[in-house]
PDB file of all heavy atoms in Angstrom:
ATOM      1  N   PHE A1400     129.112  11.583  57.964  1.00 98.00           N
ATOM      2  CA  PHE A1400     128.088  12.601  57.721  1.00 98.00           C
ATOM      3  C   PHE A1400     126.681  12.146  58.142  1.00 98.00           C
ATOM      4  O   PHE A1400     125.679  12.711  57.693  1.00 98.00           O
ATOM      5  CB  PHE A1400     128.083  12.996  56.231  1.00 98.00           C
ATOM      6  CG  PHE A1400     129.277  13.808  55.843  1.00 98.00           C
ATOM      7  CD1 PHE A1400     130.263  13.297  55.001  1.00 98.00           C
ATOM      8  CD2 PHE A1400     129.429  15.109  56.307  1.00 98.00           C
ATOM      9  CE1 PHE A1400     131.381  14.051  54.656  1.00 98.00           C
ATOM     10  CE2 PHE A1400     130.536  15.881  55.953  1.00 98.00           C
ATOM     11  CZ  PHE A1400     131.523  15.359  55.122  1.00 98.00           C
ATOM     12  N   ASP A1401     126.624  11.160  59.022  1.00 98.00           N
ATOM     13  CA  ASP A1401     125.312  10.654  59.449  1.00 98.00           C
ATOM     14  C   ASP A1401     124.456  11.725  60.132  1.00 98.00           C
ATOM     15  O   ASP A1401     123.224  11.663  60.075  1.00 98.00           O
ATOM     16  CB  ASP A1401     125.469   9.440  60.380  1.00 98.00           C
ATOM     17  CG  ASP A1401     125.524   8.140  59.565  1.00 98.00           C
ATOM     18  OD1 ASP A1401     125.554   8.244  58.328  1.00 98.00           O
ATOM     19  OD2 ASP A1401     125.547   7.065  60.189  1.00 98.00           O
ATOM     20  N   TYR A1402     125.122  12.630  60.797  1.00 98.00           N
ATOM     21  CA  TYR A1402     124.376  13.714  61.460  1.00 98.00           C
ATOM     22  C   TYR A1402     123.485  14.427  60.454  1.00 98.00           C
ATOM     23  O   TYR A1402     122.306  14.737  60.702  1.00 98.00           O
ATOM     24  CB  TYR A1402     125.406  14.700  62.065  1.00 98.00           C
ATOM     25  CG  TYR A1402     124.824  15.843  62.856  1.00 98.00           C
ATOM     26  CD1 TYR A1402     123.864  15.615  63.854  1.00 98.00           C
ATOM     27  CD2 TYR A1402     125.239  17.149  62.614  1.00 98.00           C
ATOM     28  CE1 TYR A1402     123.354  16.646  64.592  1.00 98.00           C
ATOM     29  CE2 TYR A1402     124.728  18.205  63.360  1.00 98.00           C
ATOM     30  CZ  TYR A1402     123.782  17.946  64.358  1.00 98.00           C
ATOM     31  OH  TYR A1402     123.259  18.976  65.063  1.00 98.00           O
ATOM     32  N   ILE A1403     124.033  14.658  59.257  1.00 98.00           N
ATOM     33  CA  ILE A1403     123.246  15.310  58.201  1.00 98.00           C
ATOM     34  C   ILE A1403     122.212  14.325  57.619  1.00 98.00           C
ATOM     35  O   ILE A1403     121.031  14.637  57.494  1.00 98.00           O
ATOM     36  CB  ILE A1403     124.166  15.793  57.045  1.00 98.00           C
ATOM     37  CG1 ILE A1403     125.174  16.835  57.554  1.00 98.00           C
ATOM     38  CG2 ILE A1403     123.355  16.322  55.889  1.00 98.00           C
ATOM     39  CD1 ILE A1403     126.168  17.290  56.503  1.00 98.00           C
ATOM     40  N   LEU A1404     122.697  13.131  57.258  1.00 98.00           N
ATOM     41  CA  LEU A1404     121.838  12.181  56.543  1.00 98.00           C
ATOM     42  C   LEU A1404     120.663  11.709  57.414  1.00 98.00           C
ATOM     43  O   LEU A1404     119.518  11.648  56.928  1.00 98.00           O
ATOM     44  CB  LEU A1404     122.655  10.984  56.057  1.00 98.00           C
ATOM     45  CG  LEU A1404     123.838  11.350  55.126  1.00 98.00           C
ATOM     46  CD1 LEU A1404     124.547  10.089  54.631  1.00 98.00           C
ATOM     47  CD2 LEU A1404     123.389  12.189  53.928  1.00 98.00           C
ATOM     48  N   ASN A1405     120.942  11.402  58.680  1.00 98.00           N
ATOM     49  CA  ASN A1405     119.853  10.937  59.546  1.00 98.00           C
ATOM     50  C   ASN A1405     118.816  12.053  59.757  1.00 98.00           C
ATOM     51  O   ASN A1405     117.627  11.800  59.844  1.00 98.00           O
ATOM     52  CB  ASN A1405     120.399  10.473  60.884  1.00 98.00           C
ATOM     53  CG  ASN A1405     121.111   9.140  60.732  1.00 98.00           C
ATOM     54  OD1 ASN A1405     120.856   8.403  59.779  1.00 98.00           O
ATOM     55  ND2 ASN A1405     122.024   8.865  61.641  1.00 98.00           N
ATOM     56  N   ASN A1406     119.317  13.254  59.868  1.00 98.00           N
ATOM     57  CA  ASN A1406     118.380  14.383  60.029  1.00 98.00           C
ATOM     58  C   ASN A1406     117.458  14.493  58.830  1.00 98.00           C
ATOM     59  O   ASN A1406     116.259  14.737  58.980  1.00 98.00           O
ATOM     60  CB  ASN A1406     119.176  15.667  60.262  1.00 98.00           C
ATOM     61  CG  ASN A1406     118.249  16.820  60.607  1.00 98.00           C
ATOM     62  OD1 ASN A1406     117.777  17.521  59.747  1.00 98.00           O
ATOM     63  ND2 ASN A1406     117.965  16.948  61.912  1.00 98.00           N
ATOM     64  N   LEU A1407     118.021  14.282  57.640  1.00 98.00           N
ATOM     65  CA  LEU A1407     117.200  14.335  56.440  1.00 98.00           C
ATOM     66  C   LEU A1407     116.147  13.227  56.431  1.00 98.00           C
ATOM     67  O   LEU A1407     114.994  13.444  56.108  1.00 98.00           O
ATOM     68  CB  LEU A1407     118.063  14.215  55.170  1.00 98.00           C
ATOM     69  CG  LEU A1407     118.851  15.443  54.740  1.00 98.00           C
ATOM     70  CD1 LEU A1407     119.766  15.082  53.571  1.00 98.00           C
ATOM     71  CD2 LEU A1407     117.926  16.582  54.355  1.00 98.00           C
ATOM     72  N   LEU A1408     116.577  12.034  56.839  1.00 98.00           N
ATOM     73  CA  LEU A1408     115.664  10.896  56.772  1.00 98.00           C
ATOM     74  C   LEU A1408     114.594  10.954  57.857  1.00 98.00           C
ATOM     75  O   LEU A1408     113.449  10.516  57.635  1.00 98.00           O
ATOM     76  CB  LEU A1408     116.469   9.578  56.934  1.00 98.00           C
ATOM     77  CG  LEU A1408     117.398   9.249  55.768  1.00 98.00           C
ATOM     78  CD1 LEU A1408     118.238   8.013  56.101  1.00 98.00           C
ATOM     79  CD2 LEU A1408     116.576   9.019  54.490  1.00 98.00           C
ATOM     80  N   ASN A1409     114.957  11.470  59.028  1.00 98.00           N
ATOM     81  CA  ASN A1409     114.039  11.365  60.157  1.00 98.00           C
ATOM     82  C   ASN A1409     113.209  12.619  60.406  1.00 98.00           C
ATOM     83  O   ASN A1409     112.152  12.558  61.007  1.00 98.00           O
ATOM     84  CB  ASN A1409     114.827  11.045  61.442  1.00 98.00           C
ATOM     85  CG  ASN A1409     115.518   9.711  61.313  1.00 98.00           C
ATOM     86  OD1 ASN A1409     114.985   8.793  60.666  1.00 98.00           O
ATOM     87  ND2 ASN A1409     116.699   9.585  61.887  1.00 98.00           N
ATOM     88  N   SER A1410     113.738  13.769  59.932  1.00 97.00           N
ATOM     89  CA  SER A1410     112.988  14.988  60.250  1.00 97.00           C
ATOM     90  C   SER A1410     112.827  15.880  59.016  1.00 97.00           C
ATOM     91  O   SER A1410     111.741  16.136  58.551  1.00 97.00           O
ATOM     92  CB  SER A1410     113.740  15.719  61.383  1.00 97.00           C
ATOM     93  OG  SER A1410     113.535  17.095  61.279  1.00 97.00           O
ATOM     94  N   ASP A1411     113.952  16.304  58.425  1.00 98.00           N
ATOM     95  CA  ASP A1411     113.941  17.160  57.255  1.00 98.00           C
ATOM     96  C   ASP A1411     112.942  18.306  57.374  1.00 98.00           C
ATOM     97  O   ASP A1411     112.069  18.501  56.521  1.00 98.00           O
ATOM     98  CB  ASP A1411     113.646  16.318  55.980  1.00 98.00           C
ATOM     99  CG  ASP A1411     113.912  17.104  54.689  1.00 98.00           C
ATOM    100  OD1 ASP A1411     114.622  18.109  54.742  1.00 98.00           O
ATOM    101  OD2 ASP A1411     113.373  16.699  53.648  1.00 98.00           O
TER     102      ASP A1411
END
Side-chain angles (χ1 to χ4, degrees):
F1400 288 111
D1401 272 6
Y1402 184 49
I1403 298 176
L1404 302 183
N1405 288 338
N1406 187 270
L1407 283 174
L1408 292 174
N1409 298 327
S1410 150
D1411 191 19

